[in-house]
Amino acid sequence: QVHLVESGGGLVQPGGSLRLSCAASGNIFGVNAMGWYRQAPGKQREFVAFITNGGTTNYADSVKGRFTISRDNAKNTVYLQMNRLKSEDTAIYLCNIGTGLGAMYQPRDWGQGTQVTVSS
């Protein structure tokens, strides 16, 4: 029983920035990482980034250099700082907890998602 609540989505112009937050509560036993996926209209859900409990991060090539994932272990909260946003970043962003090993991430529990719209 894990509850994940995302916040921080909204409408932003191309080149702008947003910071997403995701707070986790409940039983997170066996989980060593938190991450973000996104799903745009007409596209498959895709991996964005994950971070382990120890702070190791991995990013999709499409967001490297623009997005930064971080976490506050004391608050069980993960953040996604999104800079230089592009129209193709428009999607529902979904927070999750799971297992990270090297560059591999296996999601387990998911939040409801928060909408990010990048448009003029």
Side-chain angles (χ1 to χ4, degrees):
Q1 290 275 79
V2 177
H3 190 208
L4 298 168
V5 180
E6 301 100 330
S7 62
L11 174 64
V12 64
Q13 293 186 349
S17 298
L18 285 173
R19 190 191 192 211
L20 307 183
S21 299
C22 175
S25 61
N27 187 0
I28 58 173
F29 176 79
V31 172
N32 77 339
M34 301 182 71
W36 294 90
Y37 277 64
R38 66 186 182 186
Q39 188 163 20
K43 295 185 177 181
Q44 294 183 330
R45 185 175 296 180
E46 66 175 348
F47 166 77
V48 176
F50 77 86
I51 183 169
T52 69
N53 292 349
T56 301
T57 60
N58 285 91
Y59 298 90
D61 288 342
S62 60
V63 306
K64 284 182 179 178
R66 299 189 298 119
F67 291 11
T68 302
I69 189 170
S70 61
R71 65 183 296 163
D72 184 336
N73 289 340
K75 298 179 179 179
N76 290 322
T77 300
V78 64
Y79 307 93
L80 186 68
Q81 178 66 46
M82 305 184 295
N83 299 324
R84 304 194 304 280
L85 284 161
K86 307 173 181 179
S87 60
E88 51 262 47
D89 295 318
T90 296
I92 297 174
Y93 283 72
L94 299 143
C95 173
N96 45 60
I97 59 173
T99 302
L101 181 62
M104 303 299 296
Y105 178 63
Q106 179 61 56
R108 196 186 76 180
D109 296 291
W110 298 77
Q112 293 294 313
T114 184
Q115 178 70 49
V116 172
T117 302
V118 184
S119 177
S120 298

